[in-house]
Amino acid sequence: MSVVEQHARAHIVTDALEEDDGAVPVVLRYDPGRDPRRVLMRLPGTGAREWTVERELLERGLRTPAGLGEVRVWPCGRVQTVVEFHSAHGVSVVQFDTKTLARFLRRTYVAAAEPVPH
């Protein structure tokens, strides 16, 4: 099973920032050998944060508001998807192009279906 990693541009808004500084690089990573149900999102910046998100939650959130624990996902218009992370440190809101997340998710399902090498 292959690891899938994709770099994406996203807008990040946190309660620690006063304004949106434009699109920033976010790393999306899927390692089916480590956890076939979840993906990792790595946000940039000082004290960069990593969040683990259920693949199924991301998939549902592309079409309709969905949430599980500290993570909420919902469509924002026709072309964007919002992922919201809650923690003791505050809230981070990440806005992606929906096509980017959908493409990444498709790649994860292909990787998960690959046969294990002998």
Side-chain angles (χ1 to χ4, degrees):
M1 292 189 270
S2 300
V3 172
V4 176
E5 187 167 289
Q6 181 172 324
H7 295 262
R9 303 285 297 168
H11 289 271
I12 299 176
V13 179
T14 71
D15 51 4
L17 298 175
E18 294 186 13
E19 60 186 61
D20 182 2
D21 291 331
V24 297
V26 174
V27 176
L28 304 170
R29 182 177 171 85
Y30 174 69
D31 184 348
R34 186 173 182 183
D35 190 342
R37 296 179 314 155
R38 293 180 178 88
V39 299
L40 176 81
M41 288 188 181
R42 187 175 313 127
L43 283 60
T46 306
R49 291 203 172 273
E50 292 185 348
W51 294 89
T52 303
V53 180
E54 297 277 341
R55 277 195 310 165
E56 183 180 315
L57 176 64
L58 283 177
E59 186 74 36
R60 275 185 292 140
L62 295 177
R63 296 179 309 279
T64 186
L68 182 65
E70 300 173 335
V71 182
R72 305 282 182 264
V73 183
W74 67 89
C76 182
R78 294 182 180 190
V79 297
Q80 299 198 326
T81 300
V82 172
V83 182
E84 183 179 87
F85 302 101
H86 295 259
S87 75
H89 304 289
V91 177
S92 294
V93 179
V94 185
Q95 189 173 15
F96 291 94
D97 286 338
T98 299
K99 285 182 182 180
T100 299
L101 283 180
R103 182 174 43 249
F104 172 72
L105 286 169
R106 275 194 306 274
R107 291 177 61 211
T108 69
Y109 289 116
V110 168
E114 290 178 359
V116 176
H118 297 277

